[in-house]
Amino acid sequence: MVLPPLSLDRTAGSLSRQLYDGLRVAILAGQFRVGTRMPSTRALAASLDVSRNTVHQAFEQLILEGLLEGRQGAGTFVAEMPRGIPIGPGAGELSEPRGRRLLSQQGRAIRDVAAKWPEPIQLPGESRGRAFGMGAPADLFPTSVWRRLLGQCWDALSRARGLGRAEHEPLREAIAEHLGTTRGVRCTPDQVIVVSGSQQGIALTATVLLDPDDSVWVEDPGYFGAHTAFVGWGARVVPVAVDDEGLSVEVGQRRAADAKLAHVTPTHQFPLGKTMPLRRRAELLAWAQAADAWILEEDYDSEFRYSGAPLAALQGIDPNQRVIYLGSFSKSMYSGLRMAYLVVPRDLAPAFRAARQVVGGPPPVLEQAVVARFLSEGHLDRHLRRMRRVYAQRQRCLAESVGEQLDGLLRVEPDETGMHLVGWLRAGVSAEEVCRRAAAEGLELLPLSSYRARAGPEGVLLGFSEVDERALRHGVSLLRKALV
Amino acid sequence: MVLPPLSLDRTAGSLSRQLYDGLRVAILAGQFRVGTRMPSTRALAASLDVSRNTVHQAFEQLILEGLLEGRQGAGTFVAEMPRGIPIGPGAGELSEPRGRRLLSQQGRAIRDVAAKWPEPIQLPGESRGRAFGMGAPADLFPTSVWRRLLGQCWDALSRARGLGRAEHEPLREAIAEHLGTTRGVRCTPDQVIVVSGSQQGIALTATVLLDPDDSVWVEDPGYFGAHTAFVGWGARVVPVAVDDEGLSVEVGQRRAADAKLAHVTPTHQFPLGKTMPLRRRAELLAWAQAADAWILEEDYDSEFRYSGAPLAALQGIDPNQRVIYLGSFSKSMYSGLRMAYLVVPRDLAPAFRAARQVVGGPPPVLEQAVVARFLSEGHLDRHLRRMRRVYAQRQRCLAESVGEQLDGLLRVEPDETGMHLVGWLRAGVSAEEVCRRAAAEGLELLPLSSYRARAGPEGVLLGFSEVDERALRHGVSLLRKALV
């Protein structure tokens, strides 16, 4: 037989592996006919200048995989391939798949709803230091503290043989403690379910509590990620108008009194920024109790209230345990951390815990340990105190710059919480058009319409958290070009 | 009015926060009647020996939350509570929830199936160093290499402002490369979906490909986690007998020819350890193509083959792109890492990617970066080479000890792959009973029946990976007591 050119690279790892790969590809590609006798291991070893053992190992592997067969005393032969295994020229290529390629209903719903997710803005060139992102500023996170905790926690887990553990108990204790003192959340550690980001928290809630076709109230305008998770789950999403007091319970009851769940952001409505007053909270809780429904309270940027302490959570005043509380470390720490937490009513905790185990599992144990220390040693409190001051200044700077430079073109109202302001446009101006033109100037701007189910006054979301005051002022001057 | 005892702790953070907390609890607990006039800020400040501003901040907060109301010129009063907000004695306590507390069908299915998950074995006292766990040994992982990479990756991500990123591209490239050279998997990086553990990979596959009531073939005996994920999803789970060549396609076709998915472990069947030969692989692929069905190939401990290279994956010989490949770093790195990966057919990649975004999201960016470096710098290959040697020795030790000490009581057959052996019991001996008695000796043993849908010969799973040869030998001698 003529061997195909087998080029072995002595610097690239196991030679027998390379030989195996070369022979395998050649056999599958049909370069050897079925029944062809392979050269002896001695001959092949000599011709390739490798040891016989190297060849032997490669042959053994191919025999195990059924591509070669050894016949007692007669040598090694190319085996007959079962039907269905691709051989012949081009066997290494993937053909166009044939047959039906069916996704599930859920699979199709998710693919379709994800296609409507607002496109990430493509900024020309380098986007660092450009306004108006809404994320945590990369340069103000206490990275050296975190780095130290990483090393310490890694060592401690290694020593205690804790790297195989899934759940780090001290984290749930630290979260329960933190939420109790800063958010008025009433819970014990066993009610805390640590998850890999808010989306997983929302998806878990849908899994445990919603049947397909159940109705869910979502705020309009509201957080698109929640919307997609519910649509992806197959629920009937009912957008409910938001007024100055947050989600309108009256409108919700008119549109779908029998909804099974309401997703709300009562502390600081996203994206409009209003706070739900006590009266409205009571109305929402009363509806949930009467309707046997649940409330998913998303409390994502409550930490960033600049005057006074943050408003306490809805969860803490619910006498009926109808509230599932969802918080995240994406904004208070950093978003690549991918960690969030649910606080669930005590009687639902076993089902939520099982659901997380069956569909996902907790975040890595190292991150759990680091976050636990970051909380319990007071680093988060310190970081939040600092960021509140910084964000308050940045917001003031943004509002002043808009007032000075964009008077008559764009209107913003100061807010006591959060990481963005809504910039309201003059009537007749298209927010999409403004955002497109702003992107050409390197500005990260999103139209309010991306978060709306029904038309309303046009506006844009102006994040002030990510960059410093100089960049914000420069951003406002660039924004002027997009507005006139 | 008489104020409730408000004890402020000057060493415990914000005084105004403490004052707010105390007043809030007192108001909600009904210690102040509606309409009660609060003391003036001056009087309260003096009585508590704090600044007026401290009191002012606490009042502001309570006014914002609707618990107090300021009346122009008249002072601050306890506001009327909306109906539904708990006030009165015991308001701080949670009452027993009333009304219906409905879980979804899925929520109930998951809670019920999780209850059947084999209980973690409760070992008396300290369990370290006890046989017969099946995990990665905590003391042989290159923890100092990992620690160095943690620091380097953290610094690099911080500098590049990469802590806000969700996806770390080099990881998908490193995984595609690794799978191509070591597992014969054919894929490009965009087919790789990094997930938070195998369970999430299975759950994502179910979400994208299965409608409730679709049939799924699972191996019997087989991996219980897959079983629970499919049941939790609402699929109809069809256990299919395993013979010496792995899952019996013939039995599967007889029981549910129209199944939508088959979950298989062709490289090293879990838990019996057989390898699926080429002929059976071709039969399975042909069925999938004819039935428009999918194959979920779980390749969890393929790295630990002691002689020769691991058998190549099913994915690499499928001409029709019907295989979803699932691998994990739990055994090859450490299980608290919580990272696994899917390789999906090219045309399904957008739906899988969307599903991961909507229901979960990727693991933390730091872990992604560290794993990428661990792979691309060759640390994984080195670690696997070492562990193969170690596991081969440990398996040999286990088999020899069993042969010497348990002859006639327990039978094991050597295996070329994996981290456990099946110990077959004499007829009439109850595996559950043996496991219970072994646990009393501090041994971590699971009955084969935990992984079976239908009765079969009784056996126990004997992990040999976690502890050293001395502990294994000692374990075997303790096991004798449980067998006689």
Side-chain angles (χ1 to χ4, degrees):
Chain A
M1 72 182 296
V2 178
L3 278 178
L6 290 164
S7 59
L8 303 183
D9 177 353
R10 268 143 226 283
T11 66
S14 161
L15 290 175
S16 77
R17 178 85 215 174
Q18 293 180 47
L19 180 57
Y20 155 80
D21 279 337
L23 291 172
R24 183 170 188 272
V25 166
I27 293 169
L28 288 174
Q31 293 175 29
F32 303 152
R33 281 168 196 260
V34 167
T36 303
R37 186 174 185 279
M38 298 298 287
S40 71
T41 52
R42 181 187 306 269
L44 194 50
S47 81
L48 292 169
D49 193 21
V50 296
S51 78
R52 269 184 79 182
N53 193 39
T54 299
V55 178
H56 185 71
Q57 277 180 24
F59 277 20
E60 281 291 290
Q61 180 77 10
L62 292 163
I63 289 170
L64 260 167
E65 292 192 357
L67 299 179
L68 294 180
E69 53 187 4
R71 295 185 200 148
Q72 197 66 42
T76 307
F77 297 82
V78 176
E80 188 168 358
M81 295 296 122
R83 283 200 313 148
I85 297 294
I87 55 168
E93 309 290 307
L94 290 180
S95 54
E96 273 307 295
R98 290 168 302 112
R100 292 187 306 165
R101 316 270 298 170
L102 294 181
L103 302 188
S104 65
Q105 280 191 23
Q106 239 83 46
R108 290 194 299 275
I110 286 173
R111 185 193 54 195
D112 296 345
V113 75
K116 293 181 195 145
W117 203 292
E119 280 286 308
I121 298 168
Q122 299 299 327
L123 298 181
E126 179 57 75
S127 71
R128 281 184 215 163
R130 303 268 178 104
F132 295 98
M134 292 159 42
D139 53 338
L140 296 180
F141 188 69
T143 51
S144 57
V145 170
W146 196 272
R147 193 190 202 285
R148 177 164 52 77
L149 294 180
L150 275 174
Q152 289 172 355
C153 290
W154 177 258
D155 292 344
L157 287 168
S158 306
R159 268 198 308 273
R161 305 200 173 199
L163 293 175
R165 297 243 313 279
E167 193 91 34
H168 185 72
E169 296 300 326
L171 175 59
R172 295 194 294 166
E173 287 160 23
I175 289 174
E177 159 87 21
H178 173 73
L179 293 178
T181 58
T182 67
R183 309 294 306 119
V185 167
R186 292 186 292 175
C187 68
T188 50
D190 59 304
Q191 291 174 263
V192 176
I193 318 275
V194 181
V195 292
S196 304
S198 293
Q199 283 290 133
Q200 192 182 37
I202 297 169
L204 268 190
T205 304
T207 302
V208 175
L209 298 178
L210 295 181
D211 284 310
D213 297 323
D214 275 346
S215 295
V216 184
W217 294 357
V218 299
E219 296 173 332
D220 180 19
Y223 174 55
F224 197 73
H227 189 105
T228 58
F230 296 130
V231 170
W233 181 247
R236 201 164 70 82
V237 172
V238 180
V240 174
V242 163
D243 61 24
D244 277 357
E245 304 196 329
L247 177 132
S248 166
V249 177
E250 191 197 324
V251 170
Q253 282 179 299
R254 214 159 53 222
R255 297 204 62 199
D258 64 342
K260 195 71 193 292
L261 184 83
H263 175 265
V264 289
T265 53
T267 305
H268 186 237
Q269 203 274 329
F270 182 85
L272 297 183
K274 306 295 183 185
T275 294
M276 188 181 278
L278 199 60
R279 195 171 322 273
R280 179 68 62 84
R281 290 175 186 231
E283 205 184 329
L284 182 63
L285 293 172
W287 162 75
Q289 177 63 9
D292 290 323
W294 306 98
I295 297 167
L296 176 54
E297 173 181 27
E298 191 156 355
D299 200 33
Y300 68 100
D301 68 0
S302 60
E303 295 92 347
F304 299 115
R305 193 155 166 270
Y306 313 124
S307 57
L311 291 190
L314 185 59
Q315 195 268 7
I317 56 168
D318 171 22
N320 302 305
Q321 303 181 59
R322 289 277 172 194
V323 176
I324 291 96
Y325 176 93
L326 172 58
S328 162
F329 294 127
S330 288
K331 305 274 183 164
S332 60
M333 296 185 191
Y334 66 97
S335 68
L337 174 62
R338 313 263 340 126
M339 198 186 294
Y341 43 89
L342 292 166
V343 177
V344 304
R346 194 157 301 141
D347 56 331
L348 303 193
F352 269 88
R353 198 163 296 286
R356 195 202 49 176
Q357 185 179 2
V358 169
V359 310
V365 67
L366 176 64
E367 254 79 4
Q368 292 185 63
V370 171
V371 171
R373 297 266 310 261
F374 198 74
L375 283 164
S376 64
E377 292 180 3
H379 301 295
L380 178 62
D381 287 340
R382 265 191 293 283
H383 179 55
L384 289 178
R385 273 200 298 278
R386 179 183 185 199
M387 296 317 294
R388 273 186 215 111
R389 279 197 308 275
V390 169
Y391 290 162
Q393 281 164 9
R394 289 183 177 183
Q395 194 202 101
R396 209 174 310 121
C397 165
L398 173 64
E400 282 171 13
S401 299
V402 168
E404 286 160 21
Q405 298 187 54
L406 305 179
D407 190 33
L409 297 172
L410 195 76
R411 186 173 51 82
V412 298
E413 289 159 16
D415 191 351
E416 288 182 321
T417 313
M419 300 160 83
H420 76 280
L421 292 177
V422 177
W424 297 101
L425 296 164
R426 290 167 302 158
V429 176
S430 153
E432 276 81 3
E433 177 61 22
V434 168
C435 291
R436 247 194 313 277
R437 292 168 66 180
E441 303 290 338
L443 299 176
E444 200 174 333
L445 221 63
L446 280 171
L448 192 54
S449 54
S450 289
Y451 303 92
R452 272 196 202 285
R454 281 173 303 182
E458 296 234 41
V460 292
L461 268 54
L462 297 167
F464 53 78
S465 54
E466 249 181 62
V467 298
D468 66 16
E469 294 166 52
R470 203 179 129 193
L472 284 171
R473 272 193 297 269
H474 182 57
V476 170
S477 69
L478 290 173
L479 184 55
R480 190 180 169 84
K481 298 190 202 171
L483 288 169
V484 293
Chain B
M1 74 181 295
V2 178
L3 277 178
L6 290 164
S7 60
L8 303 184
D9 177 354
R10 269 144 226 283
T11 67
S14 160
L15 290 174
S16 77
R17 178 83 218 175
Q18 294 181 46
L19 180 56
Y20 154 80
D21 279 337
L23 291 172
R24 183 170 188 273
V25 166
I27 292 168
L28 288 174
Q31 294 176 27
F32 303 151
R33 280 167 198 261
V34 167
T36 304
R37 188 174 184 278
M38 298 297 287
S40 71
T41 52
R42 181 187 305 271
L44 195 49
S47 83
L48 293 169
D49 193 19
V50 297
S51 78
R52 267 185 80 183
N53 194 39
T54 297
V55 179
H56 185 72
Q57 278 180 24
F59 277 20
E60 281 291 291
Q61 181 76 9
L62 292 164
I63 289 170
L64 260 168
E65 292 192 357
L67 299 178
L68 295 180
E69 55 188 2
R71 294 185 201 149
Q72 198 65 43
T76 306
F77 297 82
V78 176
E80 189 168 356
M81 296 296 122
R83 283 201 312 149
I85 298 294
I87 55 169
E93 308 292 309
L94 290 180
S95 53
E96 273 308 293
R98 289 168 302 113
R100 290 189 306 165
R101 315 270 298 170
L102 294 182
L103 302 188
S104 66
Q105 279 191 23
Q106 238 83 45
R108 289 194 299 274
I110 287 173
R111 186 194 51 194
D112 296 345
V113 76
K116 293 180 196 146
W117 203 294
E119 281 286 310
I121 298 167
Q122 300 299 330
L123 298 181
E126 181 57 74
S127 71
R128 283 187 215 162
R130 303 267 179 106
F132 295 97
M134 291 159 42
D139 52 338
L140 296 180
F141 189 68
T143 51
S144 57
V145 170
W146 196 272
R147 192 191 204 283
R148 176 165 52 77
L149 294 179
L150 275 173
Q152 289 172 355
C153 289
W154 177 258
D155 291 344
L157 287 168
S158 307
R159 269 198 307 273
R161 302 197 176 205
L163 293 176
R165 299 244 313 279
E167 193 90 34
H168 184 71
E169 296 300 326
L171 175 59
R172 293 195 294 163
E173 287 160 23
I175 290 174
E177 159 87 18
H178 173 72
L179 293 179
T181 58
T182 67
R183 307 295 307 120
V185 167
R186 293 185 292 174
C187 69
T188 50
D190 59 304
Q191 290 174 262
V192 176
I193 317 276
V194 182
V195 291
S196 304
S198 294
Q199 281 291 132
Q200 191 181 37
I202 298 169
L204 268 189
T205 303
T207 302
V208 174
L209 298 178
L210 295 181
D211 285 309
D213 297 323
D214 276 346
S215 295
V216 185
W217 294 358
V218 300
E219 296 172 331
D220 179 19
Y223 174 55
F224 197 74
H227 189 107
T228 58
F230 296 130
V231 171
W233 180 247
R236 198 164 71 81
V237 173
V238 180
V240 175
V242 164
D243 61 24
D244 277 357
E245 305 197 329
L247 177 131
S248 166
V249 177
E250 192 196 324
V251 171
Q253 282 180 298
R254 214 159 52 222
R255 297 202 62 197
D258 65 341
K260 196 71 192 295
L261 183 84
H263 175 265
V264 289
T265 53
T267 304
H268 186 237
Q269 202 274 330
F270 182 85
L272 297 184
K274 306 295 182 185
T275 293
M276 189 181 278
L278 199 58
R279 195 172 319 275
R280 179 67 62 82
R281 288 174 189 231
E283 204 186 330
L284 182 63
L285 292 172
W287 162 75
Q289 177 63 6
D292 290 323
W294 306 99
I295 297 166
L296 176 54
E297 174 182 25
E298 190 155 358
D299 200 32
Y300 68 102
D301 69 359
S302 59
E303 295 92 346
F304 299 115
R305 192 155 167 270
Y306 313 123
S307 57
L311 290 190
L314 185 60
Q315 194 267 9
I317 55 166
D318 172 22
N320 301 306
Q321 302 180 59
R322 290 275 171 196
V323 175
I324 290 95
Y325 177 93
L326 171 57
S328 162
F329 295 126
S330 288
K331 304 275 182 160
S332 61
M333 297 186 191
Y334 66 96
S335 68
L337 174 61
R338 312 267 336 130
M339 198 186 294
Y341 43 90
L342 292 166
V343 176
V344 304
R346 195 159 298 140
D347 57 329
L348 303 192
F352 270 89
R353 199 164 295 287
R356 196 202 46 179
Q357 186 179 2
V358 168
V359 310
V365 68
L366 175 64
E367 254 78 3
Q368 290 185 65
V370 170
V371 171
R373 296 265 311 260
F374 197 75
L375 283 165
S376 64
E377 293 181 3
H379 301 295
L380 179 62
D381 288 339
R382 262 191 294 282
H383 178 55
L384 289 180
R385 274 198 299 277
R386 178 183 187 200
M387 296 317 293
R388 273 186 216 111
R389 277 196 310 273
V390 169
Y391 291 163
Q393 282 165 6
R394 290 183 177 181
Q395 196 202 99
R396 209 173 313 123
C397 165
L398 173 64
E400 283 172 11
S401 301
V402 168
E404 287 161 20
Q405 298 186 53
L406 304 179
D407 190 34
L409 297 172
L410 196 74
R411 187 172 51 81
V412 299
E413 289 158 18
D415 191 352
E416 288 183 320
T417 313
M419 300 159 84
H420 75 279
L421 291 177
V422 177
W424 298 102
L425 296 165
R426 290 169 301 158
V429 176
S430 153
E432 276 79 3
E433 177 60 25
V434 168
C435 292
R436 246 194 315 275
R437 292 168 65 181
E441 302 291 337
L443 300 177
E444 201 173 334
L445 220 62
L446 281 170
L448 193 55
S449 53
S450 290
Y451 303 92
R452 272 196 201 284
R454 280 173 304 182
E458 297 234 40
V460 293
L461 268 54
L462 296 167
F464 53 78
S465 54
E466 252 183 58
V467 298
D468 66 15
E469 294 164 53
R470 202 180 130 194
L472 284 170
R473 272 193 297 268
H474 182 57
V476 170
S477 70
L478 291 173
L479 184 55
R480 190 180 168 85
K481 299 190 201 171
L483 287 169
V484 292

